[in-house]
Structure formats: C-alpha cells, structure tokens
Amino acid sequence: MNNASPNQAAKQRAGSEEADWFEEWFGEDYLRIYQHRDETEAEHVVELIARVLDGSDIRSVLDLGCGAGRHSRALCERWWTVGLDLSAALLRIARREMPSDPYVRADMRELPFAPRSFDLVVNLFTSFGYFEDDRENERVLVCVAATLREGGTLVIDFLNASEVRTDLVPYDERVENGITIEQTRTISPDDRFVEKTIRLREPGKEYFERVRLLTAKDLQQMLESAGFAIVRRIGDYGGAEWSEHSPRTILFARRR
Ligand SMILES: C[S@@+](CC[C@H](N)C(=O)[O-])C[C@H]1O[C@@H](n2cnc3c(N)ncnc32)[C@H](O)[C@@H]1O
C-alpha cells in the first residue's frame, strides 16, 4: 500500500518533511469538539447556496475540504457531488455514512480532476487559509479555477477577519461527553493568523489550529487574480448581506 501523503508535493515545494498542523488536527477529536456543527447547519448552508444560485445550470459539484461529509450529503440530494479532503480519518466516516457517494483523498493544492470538470465548487466552514505562504493559498484558487467550467461558481465560506480581531475570546473551557476542552486563541506575533490551541484535559491531548486572517478585500483580490469575478457577498448562514461585523464571509465568485 502507498502511504505517501497526498500533500507530499506541497511539502517538497516548502522544503519540509514535518507534519502540517492540519494533517494532525482534522480527525475524530476535531469532530468531537465541533459536533454542534452538524447536519442541520449543513442543510441550511446548502439551501442558502441553492437559493442564491437558483436558475444556474448545475450538474456537478465539488465539496472541497468536505471533512466527514455533512455538506456533501446535503449537496448530493440536489446535484451529483464529489467530496475531497486530506484527512483519511474524516473520509472514513464520510464513506461509512454514505458508501455509494464519491469521496477522494487529495490535497487542495493538487486537484486530481480534468480541467472544467465541475459547475460548482464549494469550500465551506473555513476550509481555506491554512498555509503559511500566501502563494500556497493562491494556488488553491488557481486549481479551483482550472477545475471549474467557464461561468461556473466557487462558493467560499470563510471567517470574517475583522470580526475575529474584534471579538476574539482568548480562553474558554467546556465539558463535552465528560471531556474538558480548553481553547486558547491569539493573533500571531506577525499579525497574519488567528491561532488556536485546543487541549483535551483528561486524555491530555493537545492540537493547534492556525488560519490566515484574510479580510473580505484580501479574499476578493486573491479570487480576482485567480480568474474569478465576485457576484455576491453574504455575511451569515441566514443570507444577510455582508458587513464588517458579520460572523462569516461567504463569497460567490464566478469563473471568468
Ligand atoms: C474546518 S474543517 C471543515 C470540514 C467541512 N467542510 C465541514 O464543514 O464539516 C476543514 C477541512 O479541510 C480539510 N483540509 C485541510 N487541509 C487540507 C488540504 N491541504 N487539502 C484538502 N483538505 C484539507 C481538513 O481535513 C478538514 O476536513
């Protein structure tokens, strides 16, 4: 069996052999901690996407960074959908839930699809901005543009950097299924990332998460240079227009 990591090429480009934080964190403990981010929320988000794109010709969808497949399952109800993720543990759960749905293990910087394979690509619940070097984040968008047909849409559901900076909760703790979860959040010393340490006290496990604080304007610029035009900006899962105070930055971008 080939155990080479799908992000081997990216690691070689970065000159590193160490595991990246996102290879270690997105497993079963992640799901345990984010169990409130569930199927109901996912169905809500997919309904919002379907409402905004009503009338568009959509046949094939890629759920990029699908995790355990909560959005893929809702997307599959409407359109033919492929889920893609790097986490073998989360994909195992996705496949167990829906064995007949297609899931692919790959790195979002090396998409294994022919050009113009999809009408819609969705990247949901902050599954972007994980790479230290912005060129790697930009590379994801370039790969997505290549895999979308002309006129196809990318929906990117990202954090709102201005809201994260204003409302950052430096520490909280809660108990879930008898496990005490402590979370510490900071802005990185270089001001580029929001960083989180997640500690499961009783088993004594610790994880790290780091997301690039890209503003709506940064994201728009990155999308435009990758060949997209922004067609809609939404600020929450209810569909409200985006503002500096919105909880989310949800951009609908059309491939030119
Ligand atoms: C915050 S989770 C969201 C998962 C899913 N969209 C959801 O809402 O349940 C981010 C996902 O991105 C995946 N991911 C992280 N880095 C990746 C990469 N380089 N290539 C592909 N997927 C990646 C993780 O494994 C994880 O499943």
Side-chain angles (χ1 to χ4, degrees), residues 4-63:
S5 159
N7 66 342
Q8 210 64 30
K11 283 184 168 170
Q12 275 161 8
R13 271 199 311 278
S16 158
E17 279 309 309
E18 272 177 39
D20 287 303
W21 69 264
F22 49 82
E23 289 179 274
E24 298 189 328
W25 168 218
F26 293 114
E28 290 187 7
D29 283 334
Y30 162 79
L31 277 192
R32 209 163 288 144
I33 286 164
Y34 281 95
Q35 56 182 267
H36 53 294
R37 300 300 191 170
D38 57 9
E39 309 280 319
T40 309
E41 182 186 73
E43 277 160 24
H44 221 72
V45 174
V46 171
E47 269 165 32
L48 170 68
I49 294 171
R51 213 163 52 235
V52 174
L53 294 179
D54 189 29
S56 309
D57 183 18
I58 300 171
R59 287 167 210 189
S60 50
V61 181
L62 170 63
D63 182 6

Side-chain angles (χ1 to χ4, degrees), residues 7 22 26 30 37 63-71 84-87 90 106-109 124-127 130-131:
N7 66 342
F22 49 82
F26 293 114
Y30 162 79
R37 300 300 191 170
D63 182 6
L64 185 66
C66 65
R70 62 185 179 126
H71 298 103
L84 179 144
D85 205 278
L86 189 61
S87 165
L90 296 184
D107 189 292
M108 57 174 81
R109 291 164 289 181
L124 303 173
F125 192 47
T126 321
S127 302
Y130 292 166
F131 311 115

Side-chain angles (χ1 to χ4, degrees), residues 93-245:
I93 296 167
R95 289 180 179 126
R96 193 177 65 211
E97 290 290 316
M98 208 50 92
S100 58
D101 290 352
Y103 287 101
V104 175
R105 183 166 183 237
D107 189 292
M108 57 174 81
R109 291 164 289 181
E110 309 276 339
L111 296 180
F113 306 110
R116 296 179 290 281
S117 293
F118 297 97
D119 302 314
L120 170 65
V121 175
V122 299
N123 177 262
L124 303 173
F125 192 47
T126 321
S127 302
F128 185 74
Y130 292 166
F131 311 115
E132 163 75 35
D133 186 335
D134 277 342
R135 283 170 303 185
E136 297 291 299
N137 294 316
E138 286 157 9
R139 188 184 169 92
V140 175
L141 300 182
V142 170
C143 289
V144 170
T147 207
L148 268 173
R149 70 159 162 85
E150 218 171 282
T153 306
L154 165 63
V155 180
I156 178 157
D157 159 32
F158 195 62
L159 52 74
N160 181 357
S162 55
E163 189 267 345
V164 168
R165 285 181 191 278
T166 320
D167 295 339
L168 193 76
V169 178
Y171 177 85
D172 62 24
E173 71 175 65
R174 67 180 200 272
V175 179
E176 237 165 71
N177 300 327
I179 298 175
T180 305
I181 303 159
E182 301 176 328
Q183 301 194 90
T184 310
R185 302 174 189 82
T186 53
I187 304 295
S188 62
D190 65 5
D191 205 42
R192 295 173 67 233
F193 294 91
V194 57
E195 298 182 338
K196 183 151 81 171
T197 305
I198 306 106
R199 196 169 299 116
L200 311 189
R201 205 187 286 157
E202 288 79 18
K205 290 201 224 163
E206 191 169 292
Y207 299 98
F208 178 72
E209 180 183 287
R210 187 187 63 184
V211 179
R212 184 80 171 83
L213 280 170
L214 296 163
T215 62
K217 199 167 159 210
D218 294 331
L219 273 178
Q220 280 179 223
Q221 277 169 356
M222 286 170 88
L223 284 161
E224 280 163 8
S225 356
F228 290 93
I230 309 301
V231 290
R232 185 81 190 266
R233 286 199 313 183
I234 290 177
D236 65 27
Y237 295 153
E241 286 305 312
W242 184 88
S243 83
E244 289 289 320
H245 310 289

